[in-house]
């Protein structure tokens, strides 16, 4: 007695296709012998709103990615960027980063200028002791194209400091 493929007996029943709870049959996979269900027949609220939510998230991430030019989190560093800047504002915060292995100190300043814009400026590789002289609530003024910074302090006369890189 020779067995042909028609006489084979299945060991278990075929399993139903697994579906994601919130996405349903959004991706249109078919379940073998089952009739594929179209997205239009499914009236679930999640299946209608999910593509819209995904599209809004993609657009939001795209806008966030391409708006880095005027980003408030942008840190200005180096002689070229600082020389091209012009600011007149109050120092709100000052902190420093210690960079291993030589324990170099990088002073970072958060500045509110007269247009109420927040700028973060890093004075890494600056050779003078500029970071030691400035304090929060001091006003600093710098003109475009110059490395001279005027420091206004309450208890001392205005001081002009020249940045060196």
């Amino acid at each position: 007695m020779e067995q042909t493929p028609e006489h084979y007996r299945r060991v278990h029943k075929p399993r139903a296709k697994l579906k994601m709870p919130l996405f349903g049959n959004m991706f249109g996979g078919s379940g073998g012998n089952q009739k594929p269900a179209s997205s239009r027949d499914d009236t679930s609220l999640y299946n209608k709103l999910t593509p819209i939510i995904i599209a809004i998230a993609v657009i939001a991430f795209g806008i966030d990615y391409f708006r880095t030019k005027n980003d408030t989190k942008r840190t200005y560093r180096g002689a070229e960027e600082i020389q091209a800047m012009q600011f007149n504002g109050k120092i709100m915060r000052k902190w420093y980063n210690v960079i291993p292995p030589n324990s170099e100190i990088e002073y970072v300043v958060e500045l509110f200028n007269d247009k109420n814009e927040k700028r973060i400026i890093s004075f890494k590789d600056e050779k003078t002791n500029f970071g030691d002289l400035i304090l929060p609530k001091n006003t600093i003024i710098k003109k475009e194209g110059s490395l001279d910074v005027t420091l206004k302090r309450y208890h001392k006369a205005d001081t002009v400091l020249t940045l060196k890189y």
Side-chain angles (χ1 to χ4, degrees), residues 100-119:
N102 299 334
S103 298
E104 296 176 42
I105 296 176
E106 170 191 15
Y107 287 100
V108 182
V109 171
E110 182 179 5
L111 174 81
F112 263 144
N113 63 9
D114 51 354
K115 300 173 187 171
N116 290 333
E117 297 172 337
K118 182 169 74 168
R119 304 281 179 185

Side-chain angles (χ1 to χ4, degrees), residues 17 38 40 43 58 103 108 138 142 154:
K17 273 287 200 187
S38 66
R40 292 182 211 143
T43 58
V58 167
S103 298
V108 182
N138 289 150
K142 185 191 151 316
Y154 295 113

Side-chain angles (χ1 to χ4, degrees), residues 79-89 121 123 140-151 161 163:
E80 296 83 23
E81 286 186 349
I82 292 176
Q83 188 170 8
M85 289 180 68
Q86 172 185 357
F87 49 80
N88 178 6
I121 304 168
F123 295 104
I140 57 175
I141 300 169
K142 185 191 151 316
K143 294 182 180 176
E144 187 175 347
S146 171
L147 287 177
D148 294 334
V149 177
T150 303
L151 179 64
L161 303 170
L163 301 175

Side-chain angles (χ1 to χ4, degrees), residues 5-139:
E6 294 132 12
H7 292 88
Y8 285 141
R9 185 173 59 102
R10 287 189 161 269
V11 177
H12 57 79
K13 290 189 222 175
R15 272 192 321 185
K17 273 287 200 187
L18 297 176
K19 293 183 181 179
M20 294 172 58
L22 295 178
F23 295 101
N25 198 14
M26 189 174 98
F27 301 111
S30 65
N33 296 336
Q34 299 171 355
K35 179 182 172 187
S38 66
S39 297
R40 292 182 211 143
D41 295 341
D42 197 359
T43 58
S44 172
L45 180 66
Y46 293 120
N47 286 345
K48 290 179 181 177
L49 292 179
T50 302
I52 296 170
I53 293 171
I54 291 173
I56 290 172
V58 167
I59 290 170
F61 282 120
I63 290 170
D64 187 49
Y65 179 75
F66 288 111
R67 70 174 182 97
T68 58
K69 184 174 183 180
N70 295 325
D71 191 9
T72 58
K73 300 282 185 190
R74 180 172 180 234
T75 302
Y76 296 92
R77 3 180 98 94
E80 296 83 23
E81 286 186 349
I82 292 176
Q83 188 170 8
M85 289 180 68
Q86 172 185 357
F87 49 80
N88 178 6
K90 202 173 275 265
I91 297 173
M92 299 310 289
R93 291 191 314 166
K94 175 183 114 171
W95 64 95
Y96 63 92
N97 297 327
V98 178
I99 303 169
N102 299 334
S103 298
E104 296 176 42
I105 296 176
E106 170 191 15
Y107 287 100
V108 182
V109 171
E110 182 179 5
L111 174 81
F112 263 144
N113 63 9
D114 51 354
K115 300 173 187 171
N116 290 333
E117 297 172 337
K118 182 169 74 168
R119 304 281 179 185
I120 298 175
I121 304 168
S122 169
F123 295 104
K124 186 179 180 205
D125 300 331
E126 205 271 325
K127 304 290 187 236
T128 63
N129 59 351
F130 180 74
D132 294 330
L133 296 173
I134 58 175
L135 294 171
K137 305 299 182 192
N138 289 150
T139 301

